[in-house]
Amino acid sequence: MEDQGRKMICLEVLDQAGQVRGMAEDEDQAIMVFEGVYAEGDRIRLSVPQADCHYVVRVDDAVDEALVYMTRRELVFEIPFGEMKRSWSPRSFTGERHYLTCRRAEGYEIRAYRNLAENVLDQHGDRGCFPHASANVETRGEAVFAARNAIDGIVADRSHGDWPYGSWGINRRPDAEFTLEFGRPVDIDKIVLYTRADFPHDNWWVQARLAFSDGSEEQISLEKGGKAQPFLIQRKEITWIKLSDLIPSSAPSPFPALTQIQVYGVESKDQ
């Protein structure tokens, strides 16, 4: 199965000890219906025949598909339990039957003008699955304030805490920084920010700095949250964006947060 798997797209459900509970594979599209209740420590292992390629992955029927760029041939997705589950839909990964799929992305999907930042599969650490969000602080280390929440595609911003109100929280750090990595060069022309708007609990940022992998920077002015805030910013062949120098308003709350970042553009022509 090891040799065959190198030519196949393979989905596996593993238990805490690494034993295979379910498996499906195919040359073009792996489709698995896993019959069983997930247990803590279970994980999904995705193996692909080629790295540095785009794939469309669904890890659960209650989770959106993700168009991701894989820089490695294997991804291990930890099924969330306990505190980690708070940032996922309560319907996800539950019950006795689960639907998982993976296929190569079609050319028209890859070449489309789209939000290049979204990845509902993102996890802590570099898993070789992009885009990937990270930060130098996440409030109390809680899942509902993790950097990954800002690229999960959910823009509900009128509260904070459990799904669908996950956000990137900065734990009052004045030097908070958020980094978004694409894993390959992309050409962008617009960034959209949704800052959290759970007033009066929340504050908001009035100014921030965007730094890009090409060495350039942009200072942006922000407004009180509650709606999308677009910024037209053209950059070619960048591989990451960093958001920093976050200046809060004079409102009394010490809790500004980022609900979502969207980055619109296309794959670089050299890709």
Side-chain angles (χ1 to χ4, degrees), residues 192-213:
V192 180
L193 299 180
Y194 289 79
T195 56
R196 208 174 62 199
D198 185 12
F199 307 122
H201 173 278
D202 286 345
N203 200 335
W204 64 95
W205 297 300
V206 297
Q207 186 174 305
R209 179 172 69 97
L210 290 167
F212 303 88
S213 62

PDB file of all heavy atoms in Angstrom, residues 192-213:
ATOM      1  N   VAL A 192      -8.816  42.826   2.369  1.00  0.00           N
ATOM      2  CA  VAL A 192     -10.039  43.196   3.094  1.00  0.00           C
ATOM      3  C   VAL A 192      -9.888  42.728   4.537  1.00  0.00           C
ATOM      4  O   VAL A 192      -9.576  41.563   4.789  1.00  0.00           O
ATOM      5  CB  VAL A 192     -11.282  42.551   2.460  1.00  0.00           C
ATOM      6  CG1 VAL A 192     -12.540  42.952   3.229  1.00  0.00           C
ATOM      7  CG2 VAL A 192     -11.412  42.951   0.994  1.00  0.00           C
ATOM      8  N   LEU A 193     -10.119  43.635   5.468  1.00  0.00           N
ATOM      9  CA  LEU A 193     -10.053  43.313   6.884  1.00  0.00           C
ATOM     10  C   LEU A 193     -11.435  43.431   7.519  1.00  0.00           C
ATOM     11  O   LEU A 193     -12.175  44.369   7.234  1.00  0.00           O
ATOM     12  CB  LEU A 193      -9.074  44.240   7.611  1.00  0.00           C
ATOM     13  CG  LEU A 193      -7.612  44.210   7.159  1.00  0.00           C
ATOM     14  CD1 LEU A 193      -6.794  45.192   7.981  1.00  0.00           C
ATOM     15  CD2 LEU A 193      -7.032  42.813   7.260  1.00  0.00           C
ATOM     16  N   TYR A 194     -11.755  42.459   8.373  1.00  0.00           N
ATOM     17  CA  TYR A 194     -12.929  42.533   9.245  1.00  0.00           C
ATOM     18  C   TYR A 194     -12.407  42.573  10.677  1.00  0.00           C
ATOM     19  O   TYR A 194     -11.866  41.576  11.171  1.00  0.00           O
ATOM     20  CB  TYR A 194     -13.818  41.305   9.085  1.00  0.00           C
ATOM     21  CG  TYR A 194     -14.580  41.194   7.791  1.00  0.00           C
ATOM     22  CD1 TYR A 194     -13.956  40.743   6.628  1.00  0.00           C
ATOM     23  CD2 TYR A 194     -15.944  41.508   7.728  1.00  0.00           C
ATOM     24  CE1 TYR A 194     -14.655  40.612   5.441  1.00  0.00           C
ATOM     25  CE2 TYR A 194     -16.645  41.378   6.542  1.00  0.00           C
ATOM     26  CZ  TYR A 194     -15.999  40.934   5.411  1.00  0.00           C
ATOM     27  OH  TYR A 194     -16.707  40.800   4.236  1.00  0.00           O
ATOM     28  N   THR A 195     -12.524  43.722  11.337  1.00  0.00           N
ATOM     29  CA  THR A 195     -12.136  43.788  12.737  1.00  0.00           C
ATOM     30  C   THR A 195     -13.360  43.483  13.597  1.00  0.00           C
ATOM     31  O   THR A 195     -14.492  43.782  13.222  1.00  0.00           O
ATOM     32  CB  THR A 195     -11.553  45.157  13.098  1.00  0.00           C
ATOM     33  OG1 THR A 195     -12.483  46.184  12.773  1.00  0.00           O
ATOM     34  CG2 THR A 195     -10.256  45.389  12.335  1.00  0.00           C
ATOM     35  N   ARG A 196     -13.123  42.854  14.732  1.00  0.00           N
ATOM     36  CA  ARG A 196     -14.237  42.388  15.568  1.00  0.00           C
ATOM     37  C   ARG A 196     -15.046  43.569  16.085  1.00  0.00           C
ATOM     38  O   ARG A 196     -14.491  44.626  16.385  1.00  0.00           O
ATOM     39  CB  ARG A 196     -13.698  41.546  16.727  1.00  0.00           C
ATOM     40  CG  ARG A 196     -14.687  40.508  17.231  1.00  0.00           C
ATOM     41  CD  ARG A 196     -14.050  39.624  18.275  1.00  0.00           C
ATOM     42  NE  ARG A 196     -13.638  40.398  19.452  1.00  0.00           N
ATOM     43  CZ  ARG A 196     -12.753  39.972  20.336  1.00  0.00           C
ATOM     44  NH1 ARG A 196     -12.169  38.798  20.191  1.00  0.00           N
ATOM     45  NH2 ARG A 196     -12.439  40.728  21.373  1.00  0.00           N
ATOM     46  N   ALA A 197     -16.346  43.383  16.191  1.00  0.00           N
ATOM     47  CA  ALA A 197     -17.250  44.494  16.486  1.00  0.00           C
ATOM     48  C   ALA A 197     -18.237  44.142  17.592  1.00  0.00           C
ATOM     49  O   ALA A 197     -19.425  44.424  17.496  1.00  0.00           O
ATOM     50  CB  ALA A 197     -17.997  44.892  15.206  1.00  0.00           C
ATOM     51  N   ASP A 198     -17.733  43.525  18.655  1.00  0.00           N
ATOM     52  CA  ASP A 198     -18.570  43.168  19.802  1.00  0.00           C
ATOM     53  C   ASP A 198     -18.549  44.323  20.802  1.00  0.00           C
ATOM     54  O   ASP A 198     -17.972  44.233  21.881  1.00  0.00           O
ATOM     55  CB  ASP A 198     -18.050  41.878  20.442  1.00  0.00           C
ATOM     56  CG  ASP A 198     -18.945  41.384  21.567  1.00  0.00           C
ATOM     57  OD1 ASP A 198     -20.072  41.898  21.699  1.00  0.00           O
ATOM     58  OD2 ASP A 198     -18.513  40.485  22.310  1.00  0.00           O
ATOM     59  N   PHE A 199     -19.196  45.413  20.425  1.00  0.00           N
ATOM     60  CA  PHE A 199     -19.181  46.616  21.263  1.00  0.00           C
ATOM     61  C   PHE A 199     -20.268  46.528  22.349  1.00  0.00           C
ATOM     62  O   PHE A 199     -21.332  45.970  22.103  1.00  0.00           O
ATOM     63  CB  PHE A 199     -19.391  47.852  20.380  1.00  0.00           C
ATOM     64  CG  PHE A 199     -18.421  47.931  19.225  1.00  0.00           C
ATOM     65  CD1 PHE A 199     -18.885  47.978  17.915  1.00  0.00           C
ATOM     66  CD2 PHE A 199     -17.058  47.926  19.447  1.00  0.00           C
ATOM     67  CE1 PHE A 199     -17.999  48.038  16.850  1.00  0.00           C
ATOM     68  CE2 PHE A 199     -16.163  47.982  18.393  1.00  0.00           C
ATOM     69  CZ  PHE A 199     -16.635  48.041  17.092  1.00  0.00           C
ATOM     70  N   PRO A 200     -20.009  47.062  23.559  1.00  0.00           N
ATOM     71  CA  PRO A 200     -18.824  47.849  23.961  1.00  0.00           C
ATOM     72  C   PRO A 200     -17.657  47.011  24.475  1.00  0.00           C
ATOM     73  O   PRO A 200     -16.670  47.565  24.950  1.00  0.00           O
ATOM     74  CB  PRO A 200     -19.379  48.719  25.084  1.00  0.00           C
ATOM     75  CG  PRO A 200     -20.407  47.842  25.739  1.00  0.00           C
ATOM     76  CD  PRO A 200     -21.050  47.056  24.612  1.00  0.00           C
ATOM     77  N   HIS A 201     -17.759  45.683  24.408  1.00  0.00           N
ATOM     78  CA  HIS A 201     -16.645  44.851  24.865  1.00  0.00           C
ATOM     79  C   HIS A 201     -15.368  45.144  24.090  1.00  0.00           C
ATOM     80  O   HIS A 201     -14.269  45.162  24.670  1.00  0.00           O
ATOM     81  CB  HIS A 201     -17.008  43.362  24.718  1.00  0.00           C
ATOM     82  CG  HIS A 201     -15.883  42.428  25.009  1.00  0.00           C
ATOM     83  ND1 HIS A 201     -14.908  42.111  24.080  1.00  0.00           N
ATOM     84  CD2 HIS A 201     -15.562  41.747  26.131  1.00  0.00           C
ATOM     85  CE1 HIS A 201     -14.041  41.260  24.616  1.00  0.00           C
ATOM     86  NE2 HIS A 201     -14.415  41.027  25.864  1.00  0.00           N
ATOM     87  N   ASP A 202     -15.490  45.385  22.789  1.00  0.00           N
ATOM     88  CA  ASP A 202     -14.319  45.514  21.925  1.00  0.00           C
ATOM     89  C   ASP A 202     -13.857  46.945  21.729  1.00  0.00           C
ATOM     90  O   ASP A 202     -14.645  47.896  21.813  1.00  0.00           O
ATOM     91  CB  ASP A 202     -14.614  44.919  20.547  1.00  0.00           C
ATOM     92  CG  ASP A 202     -14.629  43.403  20.557  1.00  0.00           C
ATOM     93  OD1 ASP A 202     -14.147  42.813  21.538  1.00  0.00           O
ATOM     94  OD2 ASP A 202     -15.139  42.817  19.584  1.00  0.00           O
ATOM     95  N   ASN A 203     -12.590  47.061  21.415  1.00  0.00           N
ATOM     96  CA  ASN A 203     -12.007  48.267  20.844  1.00  0.00           C
ATOM     97  C   ASN A 203     -11.776  47.987  19.365  1.00  0.00           C
ATOM     98  O   ASN A 203     -12.177  46.923  18.862  1.00  0.00           O
ATOM     99  CB  ASN A 203     -10.705  48.625  21.554  1.00  0.00           C
ATOM    100  CG  ASN A 203     -10.294  50.077  21.367  1.00  0.00           C
ATOM    101  OD1 ASN A 203     -10.661  50.732  20.393  1.00  0.00           O
ATOM    102  ND2 ASN A 203      -9.522  50.588  22.314  1.00  0.00           N
ATOM    103  N   TRP A 204     -11.104  48.886  18.675  1.00  0.00           N
ATOM    104  CA  TRP A 204     -10.752  48.666  17.272  1.00  0.00           C
ATOM    105  C   TRP A 204      -9.452  49.420  16.987  1.00  0.00           C
ATOM    106  O   TRP A 204      -9.034  50.300  17.748  1.00  0.00           O
ATOM    107  CB  TRP A 204     -11.861  49.127  16.324  1.00  0.00           C
ATOM    108  CG  TRP A 204     -12.135  50.618  16.361  1.00  0.00           C
ATOM    109  CD1 TRP A 204     -11.624  51.587  15.544  1.00  0.00           C
ATOM    110  CD2 TRP A 204     -12.992  51.298  17.289  1.00  0.00           C
ATOM    111  NE1 TRP A 204     -12.101  52.819  15.886  1.00  0.00           N
ATOM    112  CE2 TRP A 204     -12.942  52.675  16.953  1.00  0.00           C
ATOM    113  CE3 TRP A 204     -13.792  50.892  18.351  1.00  0.00           C
ATOM    114  CZ2 TRP A 204     -13.654  53.641  17.655  1.00  0.00           C
ATOM    115  CZ3 TRP A 204     -14.499  51.853  19.056  1.00  0.00           C
ATOM    116  CH2 TRP A 204     -14.436  53.204  18.707  1.00  0.00           C
ATOM    117  N   TRP A 205      -8.796  49.031  15.894  1.00  0.00           N
ATOM    118  CA  TRP A 205      -7.558  49.702  15.514  1.00  0.00           C
ATOM    119  C   TRP A 205      -7.863  50.839  14.547  1.00  0.00           C
ATOM    120  O   TRP A 205      -8.733  50.717  13.674  1.00  0.00           O
ATOM    121  CB  TRP A 205      -6.609  48.717  14.850  1.00  0.00           C
ATOM    122  CG  TRP A 205      -6.191  47.611  15.767  1.00  0.00           C
ATOM    123  CD1 TRP A 205      -5.525  47.722  16.952  1.00  0.00           C
ATOM    124  CD2 TRP A 205      -6.412  46.204  15.571  1.00  0.00           C
ATOM    125  NE1 TRP A 205      -5.318  46.483  17.511  1.00  0.00           N
ATOM    126  CE2 TRP A 205      -5.851  45.538  16.686  1.00  0.00           C
ATOM    127  CE3 TRP A 205      -7.021  45.442  14.571  1.00  0.00           C
ATOM    128  CZ2 TRP A 205      -5.876  44.151  16.823  1.00  0.00           C
ATOM    129  CZ3 TRP A 205      -7.055  44.067  14.698  1.00  0.00           C
ATOM    130  CH2 TRP A 205      -6.493  43.430  15.815  1.00  0.00           C
ATOM    131  N   VAL A 206      -7.145  51.921  14.696  1.00  0.00           N
ATOM    132  CA  VAL A 206      -7.309  53.068  13.791  1.00  0.00           C
ATOM    133  C   VAL A 206      -6.181  53.126  12.766  1.00  0.00           C
ATOM    134  O   VAL A 206      -6.287  53.810  11.750  1.00  0.00           O
ATOM    135  CB  VAL A 206      -7.389  54.395  14.570  1.00  0.00           C
ATOM    136  CG1 VAL A 206      -8.618  54.400  15.464  1.00  0.00           C
ATOM    137  CG2 VAL A 206      -6.131  54.628  15.410  1.00  0.00           C
ATOM    138  N   GLN A 207      -5.097  52.406  13.031  1.00  0.00           N
ATOM    139  CA  GLN A 207      -3.967  52.414  12.101  1.00  0.00           C
ATOM    140  C   GLN A 207      -3.210  51.099  12.219  1.00  0.00           C
ATOM    141  O   GLN A 207      -3.183  50.470  13.282  1.00  0.00           O
ATOM    142  CB  GLN A 207      -3.020  53.575  12.415  1.00  0.00           C
ATOM    143  CG  GLN A 207      -1.879  53.759  11.424  1.00  0.00           C
ATOM    144  CD  GLN A 207      -1.078  55.012  11.740  1.00  0.00           C
ATOM    145  OE1 GLN A 207      -1.626  56.102  11.819  1.00  0.00           O
ATOM    146  NE2 GLN A 207       0.233  54.840  11.926  1.00  0.00           N
ATOM    147  N   ALA A 208      -2.614  50.675  11.110  1.00  0.00           N
ATOM    148  CA  ALA A 208      -1.817  49.451  11.107  1.00  0.00           C
ATOM    149  C   ALA A 208      -0.799  49.522   9.978  1.00  0.00           C
ATOM    150  O   ALA A 208      -0.891  50.364   9.074  1.00  0.00           O
ATOM    151  CB  ALA A 208      -2.716  48.226  10.933  1.00  0.00           C
ATOM    152  N   ARG A 209       0.157  48.620  10.035  1.00  0.00           N
ATOM    153  CA  ARG A 209       1.181  48.524   8.989  1.00  0.00           C
ATOM    154  C   ARG A 209       1.074  47.164   8.324  1.00  0.00           C
ATOM    155  O   ARG A 209       0.971  46.135   9.002  1.00  0.00           O
ATOM    156  CB  ARG A 209       2.575  48.709   9.585  1.00  0.00           C
ATOM    157  CG  ARG A 209       3.712  48.601   8.556  1.00  0.00           C
ATOM    158  CD  ARG A 209       5.042  48.996   9.179  1.00  0.00           C
ATOM    159  NE  ARG A 209       5.474  48.022  10.153  1.00  0.00           N
ATOM    160  CZ  ARG A 209       6.333  47.036   9.904  1.00  0.00           C
ATOM    161  NH1 ARG A 209       6.861  46.881   8.680  1.00  0.00           N
ATOM    162  NH2 ARG A 209       6.694  46.191  10.850  1.00  0.00           N
ATOM    163  N   LEU A 210       1.125  47.152   7.011  1.00  0.00           N
ATOM    164  CA  LEU A 210       1.200  45.929   6.228  1.00  0.00           C
ATOM    165  C   LEU A 210       2.591  45.844   5.616  1.00  0.00           C
ATOM    166  O   LEU A 210       3.010  46.748   4.885  1.00  0.00           O
ATOM    167  CB  LEU A 210       0.141  45.917   5.126  1.00  0.00           C
ATOM    168  CG  LEU A 210      -1.314  45.766   5.577  1.00  0.00           C
ATOM    169  CD1 LEU A 210      -2.259  46.092   4.423  1.00  0.00           C
ATOM    170  CD2 LEU A 210      -1.574  44.348   6.088  1.00  0.00           C
ATOM    171  N   ALA A 211       3.318  44.778   5.927  1.00  0.00           N
ATOM    172  CA  ALA A 211       4.631  44.544   5.331  1.00  0.00           C
ATOM    173  C   ALA A 211       4.535  43.330   4.411  1.00  0.00           C
ATOM    174  O   ALA A 211       3.783  42.388   4.682  1.00  0.00           O
ATOM    175  CB  ALA A 211       5.671  44.298   6.420  1.00  0.00           C
ATOM    176  N   PHE A 212       5.309  43.350   3.322  1.00  0.00           N
ATOM    177  CA  PHE A 212       5.237  42.312   2.305  1.00  0.00           C
ATOM    178  C   PHE A 212       6.616  41.681   2.100  1.00  0.00           C
ATOM    179  O   PHE A 212       7.642  42.301   2.381  1.00  0.00           O
ATOM    180  CB  PHE A 212       4.719  42.890   0.988  1.00  0.00           C
ATOM    181  CG  PHE A 212       3.378  43.557   1.119  1.00  0.00           C
ATOM    182  CD1 PHE A 212       3.274  44.900   1.453  1.00  0.00           C
ATOM    183  CD2 PHE A 212       2.220  42.824   0.930  1.00  0.00           C
ATOM    184  CE1 PHE A 212       2.040  45.509   1.589  1.00  0.00           C
ATOM    185  CE2 PHE A 212       0.977  43.430   1.065  1.00  0.00           C
ATOM    186  CZ  PHE A 212       0.889  44.768   1.395  1.00  0.00           C
ATOM    187  N   SER A 213       6.620  40.462   1.581  1.00  0.00           N
ATOM    188  CA  SER A 213       7.866  39.718   1.413  1.00  0.00           C
ATOM    189  C   SER A 213       8.820  40.368   0.426  1.00  0.00           C
ATOM    190  O   SER A 213      10.020  40.055   0.419  1.00  0.00           O
ATOM    191  CB  SER A 213       7.564  38.277   0.971  1.00  0.00           C
ATOM    192  OG  SER A 213       6.906  38.270  -0.285  1.00  0.00           O
TER     193      SER A 213
END
